[in-house]
Amino acid sequence: LRVRAYNEAVLSFGLLLIVGGVFAVLIVDTTNWWNLTLVVLGTLVLGLFLAANLAEVKAVGKKKSTLAQANLALVAVAMLGIVGGLNWVINRHPIRFDLTANKMYTLSDQTTDILKKLPQDVNVTLFTSAKRSSAEIMRAQQLLEEYEKVSTKFHFKVIDGDKNPSEAKRLGLHEYNTVVFESGENRKDVLQRDYVTYAMGQGRQPTPKFQGEGAFTSALVKMADNTHLTFYLTQGHGEKDFNNPQAEGFNTF
């Protein structure tokens, strides 16, 4: 093969592409199309090099030290290092694909943006029970796990109220399947009816509708807001009464 006439150049180019791709992942701290492309191209070039020197690969143990053997030994060592490096990178930055028809596990751009801009840690607790679980509750748990994968400041855990009632008491919870968001002095309880609504189906049976991302991201926005507004009410000038529950009062407001 003509490749053998350029063995050193092909070998060096392939290694350079792979090492460059791996270091790019480490530097930018994320995986994207261009650094993955470098690794794939480098692997293809090394594969071409090995194919062109297949005879030497088979006879490498039968001959004394040669330049070809040195190159092949270098490839073997480099490939071991690259495989180890790629495993380390993938463990830190796993590549995941959502193959569900309705993109069930793909967060919206708005949610992702909010997660990446969290000013401080947010602790989220799902208070549930194995006896009161359902497909919608499992989906809520899986969705919140997706949130945690986007931001290191988002911390999620599940508490079984039947096995750990003291934690539920500490949080002051009385309803199962409640999701508690806490950050600093901010707290927001998202009840099951906030993220699972019901509509009448064709058989006049209520059909559950999952609305978790809207409810959870709304609560997340409240966690990021450290401002506290103060409202003042003047009296003595004919203002509406805040204690009056009737239509002319402001009690409901």
Side-chain angles (χ1 to χ4, degrees), residues 23 47 67 77 98-99 122 190 196 209 239:
F23 271 93
L67 180 61
V77 173
D98 185 358
L99 301 180
V122 177
V190 181
V196 180
K209 181 179 181 181
E239 292 87 355

Side-chain angles (χ1 to χ4, degrees), residues 1-10 48-49 51-53:
L1 293 174
R2 292 185 179 181
V3 174
R4 298 178 61 179
Y6 306 97
N7 264 345
E8 293 186 9
V10 172
L48 181 63
F49 171 83
N53 294 274

Side-chain angles (χ1 to χ4, degrees), residues 16 18-32 34-35 38 85 88-89 92-93:
L16 182 63
I18 294 180
V19 172
V22 172
F23 271 93
V25 174
L26 298 178
I27 292 172
V28 301
D29 200 35
T30 186
T31 53
N32 50 46
W34 61 269
N35 48 40
L38 289 178
W88 183 79
V89 169
R92 289 192 61 193
H93 309 283

Side-chain angles (χ1 to χ4, degrees), residues 124-127 173 175-181 187-196 211-212 214-220 222:
V124 180
T125 304
L126 171 59
F127 171 69
L173 298 177
E175 293 188 32
Y176 283 99
N177 302 327
T178 298
V179 182
V180 180
F181 286 74
R187 171 171 170 167
K188 173 65 177 178
D189 293 1
V190 181
L191 306 180
Q192 180 178 347
R193 58 178 173 270
D194 296 327
Y195 60 90
V196 180
Q211 297 179 321
F216 299 152
T217 299
S218 177
L220 200 60
K222 296 181 183 296

Side-chain angles (χ1 to χ4, degrees), residues 202-218:
Q202 294 181 351
R204 306 303 297 172
Q205 293 294 328
T207 302
K209 181 179 181 181
F210 184 73
Q211 297 179 321
E213 186 172 359
F216 299 152
T217 299
S218 177

Side-chain angles (χ1 to χ4, degrees), residues 46-67:
L46 286 185
L48 181 63
F49 171 83
L50 291 174
N53 294 274
L54 189 58
E56 284 79 1
V57 173
K58 294 180 179 179
V60 68
K62 300 178 181 180
K63 297 181 180 180
K64 296 181 180 180
S65 178
T66 61
L67 180 61

